[in-house]
Amino acid sequence: MTRLPVLMYHNFCAEAEASKGLTLAASRFEQQLMYLRSKGYQSFFLSELAALPQLPRRSVVLTFDDVTVSQWEFAVPLLIKYGFKAVFFVPFAYLGTTDAWNASLGAGAHPIMTAAQLRALDPNVIELAHHSFAHPRMATLSLEAIQQDFDQAQQVIVAEQLPVFPALAYPYGNYPRQHPAQTHFFTLLQKNGIAFGFRIGNRVSRFPWSHPYVIPRIDVKGEDHLLRFRWKLRWGRLRLW
């Protein structure tokens, strides 16, 4: 099996001093991409992974939650510059508004791309996937409510003619952990044609994935200097104990 780090990004900024939490300075992101390229890493779309039995030794998946405008402004040009592709997870209810769900956490509002901006993204660079409709905590919802969320997302996808791969990044990394609720949830994902489900976990995954609905991602934070990024890329967690 091949080590496959799945990196998770959120917001971006121009100023290094504002790089903290879920917001990463563009200069730090550029350092990370330069490092990946210098070490021969190859990035993949999820649609490509669905058709591949094995991967090159140095492979990576770059994922971005919430499709904030700052990703359009800072991340996309750098991905193009260094020749990497990425997956953008879309919260469909919030297109053209802000990440209002973060208001309760005391975070500043970040503008979210419009459907027109998503359609304008180069499909050779960016692949779209699901981040739910309303950005709920999945473990708190009934199966009926989760299905309604899927249905509402699908309505937006069809109405806006968005090319969306059937993979889901769980909002907050939250999904049912206990049985039988987890089994019912995974069955619902399968019913809706979801190929992959992503949690957080901060571990390096192994491909092919043994369970397609509990794939771990590594949370890249604004405070992560290059050495810390390299450590996360190798080990996932900052501490191994």
Side-chain angles (χ1 to χ4, degrees), residues 165-229:
F165 181 77
L168 171 64
Y170 309 133
Y172 312 101
N174 179 264
Y175 65 100
R177 302 295 183 96
Q178 303 299 319
H179 297 287
Q182 185 180 94
T183 301
H184 296 325
F185 176 65
F186 291 161
T187 300
L188 187 63
L189 296 185
Q190 189 172 29
K191 172 188 171 184
N192 284 274
I194 297 299
F196 303 126
F198 293 87
R199 59 190 184 97
I200 302 178
N202 287 308
R203 294 182 182 276
V204 177
S205 75
R206 299 279 178 171
F207 187 86
W209 291 315
S210 59
H211 197 308
Y213 294 149
V214 290
I215 303 167
R217 294 193 291 167
I218 299 167
D219 192 4
V220 181
K221 293 293 187 65
E223 294 86 354
D224 291 347
H225 48 69
L226 186 58
L227 181 60
R228 183 178 293 179
F229 172 79

Short mmCIF file of all heavy atoms in Angstrom, two decimals, residues 165-229:
data_model
loop_
_atom_site.label_atom_id
_atom_site.label_comp_id
_atom_site.label_asym_id
_atom_site.label_seq_id
_atom_site.Cartn_x
_atom_site.Cartn_y
_atom_site.Cartn_z
N PHE A 165 -17.70 15.93 -8.34
CA PHE A 165 -17.40 14.51 -8.11
C PHE A 165 -18.08 14.05 -6.82
O PHE A 165 -18.10 14.78 -5.82
CB PHE A 165 -15.89 14.30 -8.00
CG PHE A 165 -15.51 12.86 -7.79
CD1 PHE A 165 -15.53 11.97 -8.85
CD2 PHE A 165 -15.17 12.40 -6.53
CE1 PHE A 165 -15.21 10.62 -8.67
CE2 PHE A 165 -14.85 11.06 -6.33
CZ PHE A 165 -14.87 10.17 -7.40
N PRO A 166 -18.64 12.84 -6.79
CA PRO A 166 -19.37 12.37 -5.61
C PRO A 166 -18.48 11.91 -4.46
O PRO A 166 -18.37 10.73 -4.15
CB PRO A 166 -20.21 11.21 -6.17
CG PRO A 166 -19.39 10.67 -7.29
CD PRO A 166 -18.75 11.88 -7.92
N ALA A 167 -17.84 12.87 -3.84
CA ALA A 167 -17.09 12.63 -2.60
C ALA A 167 -17.54 13.68 -1.60
O ALA A 167 -17.93 14.79 -1.98
CB ALA A 167 -15.59 12.71 -2.83
N LEU A 168 -17.48 13.36 -0.32
CA LEU A 168 -17.97 14.25 0.73
C LEU A 168 -16.92 14.44 1.81
O LEU A 168 -16.43 13.46 2.38
CB LEU A 168 -19.25 13.66 1.36
CG LEU A 168 -19.79 14.34 2.61
CD1 LEU A 168 -20.25 15.77 2.31
CD2 LEU A 168 -20.95 13.53 3.21
N ALA A 169 -16.59 15.71 2.09
CA ALA A 169 -15.80 16.05 3.27
C ALA A 169 -16.78 16.43 4.37
O ALA A 169 -17.54 17.39 4.23
CB ALA A 169 -14.86 17.21 2.97
N TYR A 170 -16.78 15.65 5.46
CA TYR A 170 -17.74 15.90 6.53
C TYR A 170 -17.48 17.25 7.19
O TYR A 170 -16.34 17.51 7.63
CB TYR A 170 -17.65 14.80 7.59
CG TYR A 170 -17.73 13.40 7.03
CD1 TYR A 170 -16.82 12.42 7.45
CD2 TYR A 170 -18.69 13.04 6.09
CE1 TYR A 170 -16.87 11.13 6.95
CE2 TYR A 170 -18.75 11.75 5.58
CZ TYR A 170 -17.84 10.80 6.01
OH TYR A 170 -17.89 9.53 5.50
N PRO A 171 -18.47 18.14 7.25
CA PRO A 171 -18.27 19.42 7.94
C PRO A 171 -17.80 19.18 9.38
O PRO A 171 -18.33 18.31 10.09
CB PRO A 171 -19.67 20.05 7.91
CG PRO A 171 -20.32 19.46 6.69
CD PRO A 171 -19.82 18.04 6.64
N TYR A 172 -16.79 19.92 9.79
CA TYR A 172 -16.16 19.78 11.11
C TYR A 172 -15.50 18.40 11.29
O TYR A 172 -15.09 18.06 12.40
CB TYR A 172 -17.16 20.00 12.25
CG TYR A 172 -18.03 21.22 12.12
CD1 TYR A 172 -19.34 21.12 11.66
CD2 TYR A 172 -17.54 22.49 12.44
CE1 TYR A 172 -20.14 22.24 11.54
CE2 TYR A 172 -18.34 23.62 12.31
CZ TYR A 172 -19.65 23.49 11.86
OH TYR A 172 -20.45 24.60 11.73
N GLY A 173 -15.42 17.61 10.24
CA GLY A 173 -14.94 16.24 10.37
C GLY A 173 -15.89 15.35 11.14
O GLY A 173 -15.53 14.26 11.59
N ASN A 174 -17.15 15.79 11.26
CA ASN A 174 -18.13 15.16 12.15
C ASN A 174 -19.02 14.17 11.39
O ASN A 174 -19.61 14.53 10.36
CB ASN A 174 -18.98 16.24 12.81
CG ASN A 174 -20.04 15.69 13.73
OD1 ASN A 174 -21.19 15.53 13.32
ND2 ASN A 174 -19.67 15.39 14.96
N TYR A 175 -19.12 12.97 11.92
CA TYR A 175 -20.00 11.95 11.36
C TYR A 175 -20.32 10.95 12.47
O TYR A 175 -19.62 10.91 13.50
CB TYR A 175 -19.35 11.24 10.17
CG TYR A 175 -18.12 10.43 10.54
CD1 TYR A 175 -18.18 9.05 10.71
CD2 TYR A 175 -16.88 11.04 10.75
CE1 TYR A 175 -17.07 8.31 11.05
CE2 TYR A 175 -15.76 10.31 11.09
CZ TYR A 175 -15.86 8.94 11.24
OH TYR A 175 -14.75 8.21 11.60
N PRO A 176 -21.37 10.15 12.35
CA PRO A 176 -21.72 9.21 13.42
C PRO A 176 -20.60 8.21 13.68
O PRO A 176 -20.09 7.59 12.75
CB PRO A 176 -22.98 8.51 12.88
CG PRO A 176 -23.55 9.46 11.88
CD PRO A 176 -22.37 10.14 11.26
N ARG A 177 -20.23 8.06 14.93
CA ARG A 177 -19.14 7.15 15.29
C ARG A 177 -19.63 5.84 15.90
O ARG A 177 -18.88 4.87 15.95
CB ARG A 177 -18.20 7.83 16.29
CG ARG A 177 -17.59 9.15 15.81
CD ARG A 177 -16.68 8.96 14.62
NE ARG A 177 -16.05 10.20 14.21
CZ ARG A 177 -14.84 10.59 14.58
NH1 ARG A 177 -14.13 9.85 15.40
NH2 ARG A 177 -14.34 11.73 14.13
N GLN A 178 -20.86 5.84 16.41
CA GLN A 178 -21.37 4.66 17.11
C GLN A 178 -22.26 3.83 16.19
O GLN A 178 -22.90 4.35 15.28
CB GLN A 178 -22.18 5.09 18.35
CG GLN A 178 -21.40 5.96 19.33
CD GLN A 178 -20.18 5.26 19.90
OE1 GLN A 178 -20.26 4.06 20.23
NE2 GLN A 178 -19.08 5.98 20.05
N HIS A 179 -22.25 2.53 16.45
CA HIS A 179 -23.14 1.63 15.72
C HIS A 179 -24.45 1.50 16.49
O HIS A 179 -24.46 1.60 17.71
CB HIS A 179 -22.47 0.26 15.58
CG HIS A 179 -21.20 0.30 14.79
ND1 HIS A 179 -21.19 0.47 13.42
CD2 HIS A 179 -19.90 0.22 15.16
CE1 HIS A 179 -19.94 0.48 12.98
NE2 HIS A 179 -19.13 0.34 14.02
N PRO A 180 -25.61 1.37 15.82
CA PRO A 180 -25.75 1.18 14.36
C PRO A 180 -25.84 2.47 13.56
O PRO A 180 -25.98 2.41 12.34
CB PRO A 180 -27.07 0.40 14.27
CG PRO A 180 -27.88 0.95 15.38
CD PRO A 180 -26.91 1.20 16.51
N ALA A 181 -25.77 3.63 14.23
CA ALA A 181 -25.94 4.91 13.51
C ALA A 181 -24.92 5.06 12.39
O ALA A 181 -25.23 5.54 11.30
CB ALA A 181 -25.84 6.07 14.49
N GLN A 182 -23.67 4.63 12.67
CA GLN A 182 -22.64 4.76 11.64
C GLN A 182 -22.94 3.90 10.43
O GLN A 182 -22.79 4.34 9.28
CB GLN A 182 -21.27 4.40 12.22
CG GLN A 182 -20.13 4.62 11.24
CD GLN A 182 -18.79 4.25 11.83
OE1 GLN A 182 -18.32 3.13 11.66
NE2 GLN A 182 -18.18 5.20 12.53
N THR A 183 -23.38 2.68 10.67
CA THR A 183 -23.71 1.78 9.56
C THR A 183 -24.82 2.36 8.71
O THR A 183 -24.76 2.34 7.46
CB THR A 183 -24.12 0.40 10.10
OG1 THR A 183 -23.03 -0.14 10.86
CG2 THR A 183 -24.48 -0.54 8.96
N HIS A 184 -25.85 2.91 9.35
CA HIS A 184 -26.96 3.52 8.62
C HIS A 184 -26.48 4.73 7.81
O HIS A 184 -26.91 4.94 6.68
CB HIS A 184 -28.07 3.93 9.58
CG HIS A 184 -28.72 2.78 10.29
ND1 HIS A 184 -28.91 1.55 9.71
CD2 HIS A 184 -29.22 2.68 11.55
CE1 HIS A 184 -29.50 0.74 10.56
NE2 HIS A 184 -29.70 1.40 11.69
N PHE A 185 -25.58 5.50 8.40
CA PHE A 185 -25.04 6.68 7.72
C PHE A 185 -24.25 6.28 6.47
O PHE A 185 -24.45 6.84 5.39
CB PHE A 185 -24.16 7.47 8.69
CG PHE A 185 -23.47 8.65 8.07
CD1 PHE A 185 -24.18 9.74 7.60
CD2 PHE A 185 -22.08 8.69 7.99
CE1 PHE A 185 -23.53 10.84 7.04
CE2 PHE A 185 -21.42 9.77 7.43
CZ PHE A 185 -22.15 10.86 6.96
N PHE A 186 -23.38 5.29 6.62
CA PHE A 186 -22.59 4.83 5.47
C PHE A 186 -23.49 4.25 4.38
O PHE A 186 -23.23 4.42 3.18
CB PHE A 186 -21.56 3.81 5.91
CG PHE A 186 -20.45 4.37 6.77
CD1 PHE A 186 -19.67 3.53 7.55
CD2 PHE A 186 -20.18 5.73 6.77
CE1 PHE A 186 -18.64 4.04 8.34
CE2 PHE A 186 -19.15 6.26 7.56
CZ PHE A 186 -18.39 5.40 8.34
N THR A 187 -24.55 3.57 4.78
CA THR A 187 -25.51 3.05 3.80
C THR A 187 -26.17 4.18 3.03
O THR A 187 -26.37 4.09 1.80
CB THR A 187 -26.58 2.19 4.49
OG1 THR A 187 -25.95 1.08 5.16
CG2 THR A 187 -27.59 1.66 3.49
N LEU A 188 -26.47 5.28 3.73
CA LEU A 188 -27.07 6.44 3.07
C LEU A 188 -26.09 7.08 2.10
O LEU A 188 -26.48 7.52 1.00
CB LEU A 188 -27.52 7.46 4.13
CG LEU A 188 -28.30 8.66 3.61
CD1 LEU A 188 -29.62 8.21 2.98
CD2 LEU A 188 -28.56 9.65 4.73
N LEU A 189 -24.81 7.16 2.48
CA LEU A 189 -23.81 7.68 1.56
C LEU A 189 -23.76 6.84 0.29
O LEU A 189 -23.73 7.38 -0.83
CB LEU A 189 -22.43 7.69 2.22
CG LEU A 189 -22.22 8.60 3.43
CD1 LEU A 189 -20.75 8.55 3.87
CD2 LEU A 189 -22.62 10.03 3.15
N GLN A 190 -23.78 5.53 0.47
CA GLN A 190 -23.73 4.64 -0.68
C GLN A 190 -24.97 4.82 -1.55
O GLN A 190 -24.88 4.86 -2.79
CB GLN A 190 -23.64 3.19 -0.20
CG GLN A 190 -23.36 2.19 -1.31
CD GLN A 190 -23.09 0.80 -0.74
OE1 GLN A 190 -23.59 0.44 0.32
NE2 GLN A 190 -22.31 0.02 -1.45
N LYS A 191 -26.12 4.98 -0.94
CA LYS A 191 -27.38 5.19 -1.67
C LYS A 191 -27.30 6.45 -2.53
O LYS A 191 -27.86 6.50 -3.64
CB LYS A 191 -28.54 5.31 -0.68
CG LYS A 191 -29.86 5.71 -1.30
CD LYS A 191 -30.91 5.99 -0.24
CE LYS A 191 -32.16 6.61 -0.83
NZ LYS A 191 -33.16 6.98 0.22
N ASN A 192 -26.58 7.47 -2.03
CA ASN A 192 -26.46 8.74 -2.77
C ASN A 192 -25.26 8.76 -3.71
O ASN A 192 -24.93 9.81 -4.26
CB ASN A 192 -26.39 9.90 -1.78
CG ASN A 192 -27.74 10.24 -1.20
OD1 ASN A 192 -28.51 11.00 -1.77
ND2 ASN A 192 -28.06 9.67 -0.04
N GLY A 193 -24.63 7.62 -3.88
CA GLY A 193 -23.55 7.51 -4.85
C GLY A 193 -22.23 8.10 -4.42
O GLY A 193 -21.35 8.34 -5.25
N ILE A 194 -22.06 8.34 -3.11
CA ILE A 194 -20.82 8.93 -2.62
C ILE A 194 -19.70 7.88 -2.67
O ILE A 194 -19.82 6.79 -2.10
CB ILE A 194 -21.00 9.46 -1.18
CG1 ILE A 194 -22.04 10.58 -1.16
CG2 ILE A 194 -19.67 9.95 -0.63
CD1 ILE A 194 -21.68 11.79 -2.00
N ALA A 195 -18.64 8.23 -3.35
CA ALA A 195 -17.52 7.29 -3.52
C ALA A 195 -16.57 7.30 -2.33
O ALA A 195 -16.07 6.26 -1.91
CB ALA A 195 -16.76 7.62 -4.80
N PHE A 196 -16.31 8.52 -1.79
CA PHE A 196 -15.35 8.67 -0.70
C PHE A 196 -15.92 9.63 0.35
O PHE A 196 -16.58 10.62 0.01
CB PHE A 196 -14.02 9.24 -1.20
CG PHE A 196 -13.38 8.43 -2.29
CD1 PHE A 196 -13.02 9.02 -3.50
CD2 PHE A 196 -13.10 7.09 -2.12
CE1 PHE A 196 -12.42 8.30 -4.51
CE2 PHE A 196 -12.50 6.33 -3.12
CZ PHE A 196 -12.16 6.94 -4.33
N GLY A 197 -15.62 9.36 1.62
CA GLY A 197 -15.99 10.25 2.72
C GLY A 197 -14.75 10.59 3.53
O GLY A 197 -13.98 9.69 3.89
N PHE A 198 -14.57 11.88 3.83
CA PHE A 198 -13.34 12.35 4.48
C PHE A 198 -13.63 12.93 5.85
O PHE A 198 -14.48 13.81 6.02
CB PHE A 198 -12.66 13.41 3.61
CG PHE A 198 -12.11 12.87 2.32
CD1 PHE A 198 -12.92 12.78 1.20
CD2 PHE A 198 -10.81 12.41 2.23
CE1 PHE A 198 -12.44 12.26 0.00
CE2 PHE A 198 -10.31 11.89 1.05
CZ PHE A 198 -11.12 11.82 -0.07
N ARG A 199 -12.89 12.44 6.84
CA ARG A 199 -12.92 12.99 8.19
C ARG A 199 -11.67 13.87 8.35
O ARG A 199 -11.13 14.35 7.37
CB ARG A 199 -12.95 11.86 9.21
CG ARG A 199 -11.77 10.89 9.13
CD ARG A 199 -12.01 9.67 10.01
NE ARG A 199 -10.87 8.77 10.04
CZ ARG A 199 -9.93 8.76 10.99
NH1 ARG A 199 -10.03 9.62 12.00
NH2 ARG A 199 -8.93 7.92 10.95
N ILE A 200 -11.23 14.08 9.58
CA ILE A 200 -9.95 14.79 9.79
C ILE A 200 -8.94 13.75 10.25
O ILE A 200 -8.31 13.11 9.45
CB ILE A 200 -10.11 15.98 10.75
CG1 ILE A 200 -11.15 16.95 10.20
CG2 ILE A 200 -8.75 16.70 10.91
CD1 ILE A 200 -11.43 18.15 11.09
N GLY A 201 -8.79 13.54 11.54
CA GLY A 201 -7.94 12.45 12.00
C GLY A 201 -6.46 12.74 12.08
O GLY A 201 -5.74 12.17 12.90
N ASN A 202 -5.95 13.62 11.18
CA ASN A 202 -4.53 13.97 11.17
C ASN A 202 -3.62 12.74 11.15
O ASN A 202 -2.70 12.60 11.95
CB ASN A 202 -4.20 14.89 12.35
CG ASN A 202 -4.74 16.28 12.14
OD1 ASN A 202 -4.49 16.91 11.11
ND2 ASN A 202 -5.50 16.78 13.10
N ARG A 203 -3.91 11.90 10.19
CA ARG A 203 -3.07 10.72 9.94
C ARG A 203 -2.81 10.61 8.44
O ARG A 203 -3.61 11.08 7.63
CB ARG A 203 -3.74 9.44 10.44
CG ARG A 203 -3.91 9.37 11.96
CD ARG A 203 -4.53 8.05 12.37
NE ARG A 203 -4.74 7.99 13.81
CZ ARG A 203 -3.82 7.63 14.69
NH1 ARG A 203 -2.61 7.31 14.27
NH2 ARG A 203 -4.10 7.60 15.97
N VAL A 204 -1.70 10.00 8.09
CA VAL A 204 -1.40 9.75 6.68
C VAL A 204 -2.15 8.50 6.25
O VAL A 204 -2.02 7.44 6.87
CB VAL A 204 0.12 9.57 6.46
CG1 VAL A 204 0.40 9.23 5.00
CG2 VAL A 204 0.87 10.83 6.87
N SER A 205 -2.96 8.61 5.21
CA SER A 205 -3.74 7.47 4.76
C SER A 205 -2.86 6.49 3.97
O SER A 205 -1.74 6.83 3.56
CB SER A 205 -4.92 7.93 3.90
OG SER A 205 -4.48 8.32 2.61
N ARG A 206 -3.38 5.30 3.76
CA ARG A 206 -2.74 4.28 2.95
C ARG A 206 -3.66 3.93 1.80
O ARG A 206 -4.84 3.65 2.01
CB ARG A 206 -2.44 3.03 3.78
CG ARG A 206 -1.50 3.27 4.95
CD ARG A 206 -0.06 3.27 4.51
NE ARG A 206 0.86 3.56 5.62
CZ ARG A 206 2.18 3.45 5.53
NH1 ARG A 206 2.74 3.08 4.39
NH2 ARG A 206 2.94 3.72 6.57
N PHE A 207 -3.11 3.98 0.60
CA PHE A 207 -3.92 3.73 -0.60
C PHE A 207 -3.51 2.39 -1.23
O PHE A 207 -2.31 2.11 -1.30
CB PHE A 207 -3.72 4.87 -1.60
CG PHE A 207 -4.63 4.80 -2.79
CD1 PHE A 207 -5.90 5.34 -2.74
CD2 PHE A 207 -4.21 4.17 -3.95
CE1 PHE A 207 -6.74 5.27 -3.84
CE2 PHE A 207 -5.06 4.08 -5.05
CZ PHE A 207 -6.32 4.63 -4.99
N PRO A 208 -4.48 1.58 -1.69
CA PRO A 208 -5.92 1.81 -1.74
C PRO A 208 -6.54 1.91 -0.34
O PRO A 208 -6.12 1.20 0.57
CB PRO A 208 -6.46 0.60 -2.49
CG PRO A 208 -5.29 0.01 -3.21
CD PRO A 208 -4.11 0.30 -2.33
N TRP A 209 -7.55 2.77 -0.20
CA TRP A 209 -8.18 2.99 1.09
C TRP A 209 -9.00 1.78 1.49
O TRP A 209 -9.82 1.27 0.72
CB TRP A 209 -9.07 4.22 1.01
CG TRP A 209 -8.28 5.49 0.89
CD1 TRP A 209 -7.17 5.84 1.60
CD2 TRP A 209 -8.53 6.58 0.00
NE1 TRP A 209 -6.71 7.08 1.22
CE2 TRP A 209 -7.53 7.56 0.23
CE3 TRP A 209 -9.50 6.84 -0.98
CZ2 TRP A 209 -7.47 8.76 -0.46
CZ3 TRP A 209 -9.45 8.04 -1.67
CH2 TRP A 209 -8.45 9.00 -1.41
N SER A 210 -8.77 1.31 2.71
CA SER A 210 -9.45 0.10 3.19
C SER A 210 -10.93 0.37 3.48
O SER A 210 -11.76 -0.52 3.35
CB SER A 210 -8.77 -0.44 4.44
OG SER A 210 -8.77 0.53 5.47
N HIS A 211 -11.25 1.60 3.90
CA HIS A 211 -12.65 1.98 4.11
C HIS A 211 -12.87 3.33 3.46
O HIS A 211 -12.27 4.33 3.88
CB HIS A 211 -13.01 2.04 5.60
CG HIS A 211 -14.49 2.03 5.84
ND1 HIS A 211 -15.36 2.90 5.20
CD2 HIS A 211 -15.28 1.23 6.61
CE1 HIS A 211 -16.60 2.66 5.58
NE2 HIS A 211 -16.57 1.65 6.43
N PRO A 212 -13.71 3.41 2.43
CA PRO A 212 -13.83 4.64 1.66
C PRO A 212 -14.53 5.79 2.37
O PRO A 212 -14.52 6.91 1.87
CB PRO A 212 -14.65 4.20 0.44
CG PRO A 212 -15.46 3.04 0.92
CD PRO A 212 -14.56 2.32 1.89
N TYR A 213 -15.14 5.53 3.56
CA TYR A 213 -15.90 6.60 4.22
C TYR A 213 -15.26 7.11 5.51
O TYR A 213 -15.87 7.89 6.23
CB TYR A 213 -17.32 6.11 4.52
CG TYR A 213 -18.14 5.84 3.27
CD1 TYR A 213 -19.12 4.85 3.27
CD2 TYR A 213 -17.95 6.56 2.09
CE1 TYR A 213 -19.88 4.59 2.13
CE2 TYR A 213 -18.69 6.32 0.95
CZ TYR A 213 -19.66 5.33 0.97
OH TYR A 213 -20.41 5.08 -0.16
N VAL A 214 -14.04 6.69 5.80
CA VAL A 214 -13.35 7.21 6.99
C VAL A 214 -11.92 7.59 6.61
O VAL A 214 -10.97 7.31 7.35
CB VAL A 214 -13.37 6.21 8.16
CG1 VAL A 214 -14.78 6.08 8.72
CG2 VAL A 214 -12.85 4.84 7.73
N ILE A 215 -11.75 8.26 5.49
CA ILE A 215 -10.42 8.62 5.01
C ILE A 215 -9.90 9.82 5.81
O ILE A 215 -10.56 10.86 5.89
CB ILE A 215 -10.46 8.96 3.51
CG1 ILE A 215 -11.02 7.77 2.72
CG2 ILE A 215 -9.07 9.34 3.02
CD1 ILE A 215 -11.38 8.10 1.29
N PRO A 216 -8.72 9.70 6.42
CA PRO A 216 -8.21 10.80 7.24
C PRO A 216 -7.56 11.90 6.40
O PRO A 216 -6.96 11.63 5.35
CB PRO A 216 -7.17 10.12 8.13
CG PRO A 216 -6.67 8.98 7.29
CD PRO A 216 -7.85 8.51 6.49
N ARG A 217 -7.68 13.11 6.87
CA ARG A 217 -6.99 14.26 6.27
C ARG A 217 -6.09 14.90 7.31
O ARG A 217 -6.30 14.76 8.52
CB ARG A 217 -7.99 15.28 5.73
CG ARG A 217 -8.81 14.78 4.57
CD ARG A 217 -9.55 15.92 3.87
NE ARG A 217 -10.60 16.50 4.69
CZ ARG A 217 -11.21 17.66 4.41
NH1 ARG A 217 -10.83 18.39 3.38
NH2 ARG A 217 -12.18 18.10 5.19
N ILE A 218 -5.11 15.65 6.82
CA ILE A 218 -4.14 16.33 7.68
C ILE A 218 -4.43 17.82 7.63
O ILE A 218 -4.41 18.43 6.56
CB ILE A 218 -2.70 16.04 7.21
CG1 ILE A 218 -2.42 14.53 7.29
CG2 ILE A 218 -1.70 16.82 8.05
CD1 ILE A 218 -1.16 14.11 6.57
N ASP A 219 -4.70 18.41 8.78
CA ASP A 219 -5.12 19.81 8.89
C ASP A 219 -3.89 20.73 8.84
O ASP A 219 -3.08 20.75 9.78
CB ASP A 219 -5.87 19.99 10.20
CG ASP A 219 -6.59 21.31 10.29
OD1 ASP A 219 -6.58 22.06 9.31
OD2 ASP A 219 -7.19 21.58 11.35
N VAL A 220 -3.73 21.47 7.76
CA VAL A 220 -2.62 22.43 7.64
C VAL A 220 -3.08 23.76 8.23
O VAL A 220 -4.06 24.33 7.78
CB VAL A 220 -2.18 22.60 6.18
CG1 VAL A 220 -1.01 23.58 6.09
CG2 VAL A 220 -1.80 21.26 5.58
N LYS A 221 -2.36 24.25 9.23
CA LYS A 221 -2.75 25.46 9.95
C LYS A 221 -1.87 26.65 9.56
O LYS A 221 -0.76 26.49 9.04
CB LYS A 221 -2.63 25.23 11.46
CG LYS A 221 -3.62 24.21 12.00
CD LYS A 221 -5.05 24.72 11.90
CE LYS A 221 -6.05 23.81 12.58
NZ LYS A 221 -5.87 23.73 14.04
N GLY A 222 -2.39 27.83 9.85
CA GLY A 222 -1.66 29.06 9.52
C GLY A 222 -0.33 29.18 10.24
O GLY A 222 0.59 29.83 9.74
N GLU A 223 -0.20 28.54 11.39
CA GLU A 223 1.05 28.61 12.15
C GLU A 223 2.11 27.64 11.63
O GLU A 223 3.25 27.67 12.12
CB GLU A 223 0.77 28.29 13.63
CG GLU A 223 -0.10 29.30 14.34
CD GLU A 223 -1.59 29.04 14.18
OE1 GLU A 223 -1.96 28.13 13.40
OE2 GLU A 223 -2.38 29.76 14.81
N ASP A 224 1.77 26.80 10.69
CA ASP A 224 2.68 25.74 10.25
C ASP A 224 3.81 26.28 9.37
O ASP A 224 3.61 26.56 8.18
CB ASP A 224 1.91 24.66 9.48
CG ASP A 224 0.97 23.85 10.37
OD1 ASP A 224 1.10 23.97 11.60
OD2 ASP A 224 0.13 23.13 9.82
N HIS A 225 4.99 26.45 9.97
CA HIS A 225 6.17 26.79 9.16
C HIS A 225 6.58 25.55 8.37
O HIS A 225 6.00 24.46 8.54
CB HIS A 225 7.30 27.30 10.04
CG HIS A 225 7.58 26.43 11.24
ND1 HIS A 225 8.12 25.17 11.14
CD2 HIS A 225 7.36 26.64 12.57
CE1 HIS A 225 8.25 24.64 12.34
NE2 HIS A 225 7.79 25.51 13.23
N LEU A 226 7.59 25.68 7.53
CA LEU A 226 7.92 24.60 6.59
C LEU A 226 8.34 23.32 7.31
O LEU A 226 7.97 22.21 6.89
CB LEU A 226 9.01 25.05 5.63
CG LEU A 226 9.34 24.05 4.50
CD1 LEU A 226 8.10 23.73 3.67
CD2 LEU A 226 10.46 24.59 3.62
N LEU A 227 9.10 23.42 8.38
CA LEU A 227 9.52 22.22 9.10
C LEU A 227 8.32 21.48 9.66
O LEU A 227 8.24 20.24 9.58
CB LEU A 227 10.50 22.60 10.22
CG LEU A 227 11.04 21.42 11.03
CD1 LEU A 227 11.80 20.44 10.13
CD2 LEU A 227 11.96 21.93 12.14
N ARG A 228 7.38 22.22 10.23
CA ARG A 228 6.19 21.59 10.77
C ARG A 228 5.36 20.97 9.65
O ARG A 228 4.80 19.88 9.81
CB ARG A 228 5.35 22.62 11.53
CG ARG A 228 4.11 22.05 12.19
CD ARG A 228 3.35 23.09 12.97
NE ARG A 228 4.11 23.54 14.13
CZ ARG A 228 3.68 24.47 14.98
NH1 ARG A 228 2.52 25.06 14.78
NH2 ARG A 228 4.42 24.81 16.01
N PHE A 229 5.27 21.63 8.50
CA PHE A 229 4.56 21.08 7.36
C PHE A 229 5.20 19.76 6.91
O PHE A 229 4.50 18.78 6.64
CB PHE A 229 4.56 22.09 6.20
CG PHE A 229 4.02 21.53 4.91
CD1 PHE A 229 2.66 21.40 4.70
CD2 PHE A 229 4.89 21.12 3.90
CE1 PHE A 229 2.15 20.88 3.52
CE2 PHE A 229 4.40 20.60 2.72
CZ PHE A 229 3.03 20.47 2.53
#
